[in-house]
Amino acid sequence: MNETMVTLVGNAATPVDFRETATGSTARFRLAVTPRRWDREQQVWTDGSTGFYTVWARRTLAANLSGSVSVGEPLVVHGRLKVREEERDGVWRTSVDIDAVAVGHDLTRGTAAFRRVVRGDPALTAPTHRQKPATEMASVS
């Protein structure tokens, strides 16, 4: 089966919702993606309309996301595109999900320090409960 793989660049719009289930770890968050275009007539950059995607992660990626990503941080997400259509109260709605294969901070907008996770050390993937401003990047000394 052919799958549509996509790479999105945007900002975390919601906190990571991490859950342990009987089938394993899962996490989700919303990613806001706003295209920018150069307006030749006015000689300025303009923002397009923002699209929102639900990003899903499983197993180790889910656990690592919960300890690494905060609202407002710039991210690069790579994964399988899933488009769903459903009818609710007589109205058809379309949702676009990404089944993430990889997620990382967008280093064109800041710096980050990588920490390799040692299996079995839950302190390294424990969710942080502090909220960082959108302009602050996570850095580790």
Side-chain angles (χ1 to χ4, degrees):
M1 179 170 101
N2 290 332
E3 295 178 323
T4 303
M5 300 297 285
V6 295
T7 301
L8 301 172
V9 178
N11 293 318
T14 63
V16 175
D17 179 19
F18 176 78
R19 295 175 189 218
E20 285 284 352
T21 66
T23 59
S25 302
T26 186
R28 72 174 179 185
F29 68 95
R30 300 277 285 163
L31 183 74
V33 177
T34 305
R36 293 195 56 127
R37 293 183 175 78
W38 179 251
D39 184 337
R40 291 182 189 180
E41 293 175 6
Q42 297 184 11
Q43 297 292 304
V44 295
W45 285 98
T46 59
D47 289 341
S49 59
T50 301
F52 291 89
Y53 302 85
T54 301
V55 178
W56 293 88
R58 314 258 184 272
R59 297 177 288 281
T60 305
L61 179 56
N64 290 345
L65 276 172
S66 69
S68 302
V69 172
S70 297
V71 173
E73 292 182 344
L75 301 173
V76 178
V77 175
H78 181 71
R80 291 173 201 80
L81 180 67
K82 306 285 184 184
V83 179
R84 296 180 290 120
E85 291 183 351
E86 60 187 2
E87 183 180 5
R88 238 189 263 164
D89 300 325
V91 178
W92 281 93
R93 298 178 188 258
T94 302
S95 327
V96 182
D97 296 349
I98 307 299
D99 187 11
V101 173
V103 178
H105 286 98
D106 181 357
L107 298 181
T108 62
R109 305 209 3 235
T111 62
F114 180 78
R115 292 180 299 159
R116 187 171 303 279
V117 175
V118 178
R119 291 182 191 254
D121 186 356
L124 292 177
T125 59
T128 58
H129 295 290
R130 67 181 184 101
Q131 284 288 71
K132 292 189 276 186
T135 57
E136 179 185 346
M137 290 297 301
S139 65
V140 177
S141 304

